[in-house]
Amino acid sequence: MNNAFVASLVGDRPLIFAFVIVGILTWLCFAFSKHITRNRIHGSAVAIIVGLALAYFGGIATGGKKGIADIPMFAGFALMGGAMLRDFCIVSTAYGVKLSELKKAGLAGVLSLVIGTALAFVVGVAVAYAFGYRDTVSLTTIGAGAVTFIVGPVTGSAVGASSTVIALSVAAGVVKSIAVMILTPFLAKPFGLTNPAAAMVYGGLMGTTSGTAAGLAATDARLVPYGALTATFYTGFGCLVCPSVGFILMKAIFG
């Protein structure tokens, strides 16, 4: 099987090839997590780090702007990681949400959801301001990115942010997700993260569904559904309030 045949085969099926590559990398990353770190660092965190590294080196190698997707053989990653599948993820997450389930978290769960979203947004805005951003659109988008890497681009698209600012918002959310994945197992005991109620509050405060689920899986797999419950609402709540309430507040403060 020569290179020309492989290139022609992939050229007709770039998206399928992208899914195959992601599947293989995910399998390898989870194997690394299990056998090397003994699940102390979840496979999802390892996979995200590997993905970021590949995107970086792909962009450097080609001088392009789409990371690994700038290499013709891996062009399917542009679609796989694009807005279409991102929006599908948001919609599918929303369909899995039931308000009756949120009531099980009680007042603490609801408060953690509001406090977690507001705190992440404020921290994101503060960091953006510290790095020289002063316009309302950029501050709102990067602040939303600190909520989650899904809320960031959704908010940026809604308020008319540039692609560069939207990319920064995604980066902020990814950094947060990785941090939550890695730190959760180490902070679980001192933070009392040992029961379903605590997991629900934790999911509401941290919010990143992937980070919370992976971190709890590395801590105690039995806590994952409870943390993911409020974390799922967190993403939807952020998509609702950041482009509306968040933007209005930023407009009032920064003009």
Side-chain angles (χ1 to χ4, degrees):
M1 186 178 293
N2 56 43
N3 292 335
F5 175 75
V6 174
S8 64
L9 185 65
V10 173
D12 294 334
R13 304 168 180 82
L15 183 58
I16 294 175
F17 183 68
F19 273 104
V20 170
I21 295 298
V22 169
I24 293 173
L25 286 176
T26 301
W27 178 75
L28 291 173
C29 290
F30 273 79
F32 177 88
S33 172
K34 179 180 180 181
H35 299 292
I36 304 300
T37 72
R38 296 185 179 182
N39 291 324
R40 297 300 290 175
I41 299 177
H42 198 266
S44 299
V46 179
I48 289 176
I49 293 172
V50 171
L52 290 173
L54 289 175
Y56 175 78
F57 288 113
I60 292 296
T62 62
K65 298 180 180 180
K66 296 181 180 179
I68 195 70
D70 285 313
I71 300 174
M73 182 177 292
F74 301 109
F77 282 95
L79 178 59
M80 185 180 182
M84 182 182 72
L85 290 180
R86 179 202 70 200
D87 292 342
F88 174 78
C89 174
I90 296 170
V91 172
S92 62
T93 299
Y95 268 107
V97 169
K98 295 181 180 179
L99 290 176
S100 59
E101 294 296 319
L102 183 59
K103 294 178 182 178
K104 296 179 181 179
L107 180 61
V110 175
L111 288 177
S112 69
L113 193 66
V114 176
I115 294 171
T117 303
L119 183 61
F121 184 81
V122 170
V123 170
V125 169
V127 172
Y129 190 88
F131 277 88
Y133 287 93
R134 296 293 183 272
D135 62 290
T136 302
V137 170
S138 296
L139 290 171
T140 303
T141 302
I142 297 174
V147 176
T148 78
F149 57 77
I150 291 178
V151 177
V154 169
T155 300
S157 299
V159 300
S162 67
S163 59
T164 301
V165 172
I166 290 176
L168 286 174
S169 76
V170 174
V174 169
V175 169
K176 175 185 175 181
S177 181
I178 294 175
V180 172
M181 286 180 190
I182 295 175
L183 295 177
T184 297
F186 300 100
L187 299 176
K189 189 173 181 179
F191 284 5
L193 195 55
T194 56
N195 57 76
M200 283 187 175
V201 173
Y202 185 75
L205 289 173
M206 297 296 103
T208 168
T209 306
S210 55
T212 299
L216 290 176
T219 303
D220 185 347
R222 294 172 297 181
L223 299 178
V224 172
Y226 301 98
L229 176 66
T230 45
T232 299
F233 279 95
Y234 184 100
T235 298
F237 184 69
C239 289
L240 176 65
V241 302
C242 288
S244 54
V245 178
F247 181 72
I248 292 172
L249 290 175
M250 291 298 99
K251 194 74 173 177
I253 295 172
F254 297 100

